[in-house]
Amino acid sequence: RYSLALERDDRLPAAYLGLGKAMQAQGQLAIAIDYYRQGLAIEPNNLPLLLGLADAFGQQPNIAEAQATYMR
């Protein structure tokens, strides 16, 4: 349903968040990070997107990027 929402309007941060969470839950961290970043390009201070991104970096593990994202 998130993909359908983006087909209709690709400027919905919540849809990118949903897709990011879904990919993260499946262990597809690189794809999740890409979705989080796309959402943040639309809404840079979106806290759920920032937290999702930081969490995904932490799972990679990419601690430096995770810390930098948490500090934003």
Side-chain angles (χ1 to χ4, degrees):
R1 92 181 164 208
Y2 296 117
S3 295
L4 181 59
L6 288 176
E7 286 178 22
R8 293 182 180 168
D9 183 356
D10 66 352
R11 301 217 23 101
L12 297 172
Y16 289 106
L17 176 64
L19 288 167
K21 286 185 173 189
M23 293 296 102
Q24 191 172 355
Q26 295 175 24
Q28 300 292 323
L29 300 176
I31 297 170
I33 288 168
D34 186 53
Y35 281 128
Y36 293 136
R37 284 181 167 160
Q38 288 179 65
L40 288 166
I42 299 163
E43 197 172 293
N45 296 318
N46 183 300
L47 185 57
L49 284 166
L50 286 167
L51 292 174
L53 180 61
D55 188 47
F57 279 136
Q59 285 181 305
Q60 276 190 327
N62 188 337
I63 303 304
E65 284 288 339
Q67 288 176 333
T69 304
Y70 279 124
M71 298 304 289
R72 284 177 56 182

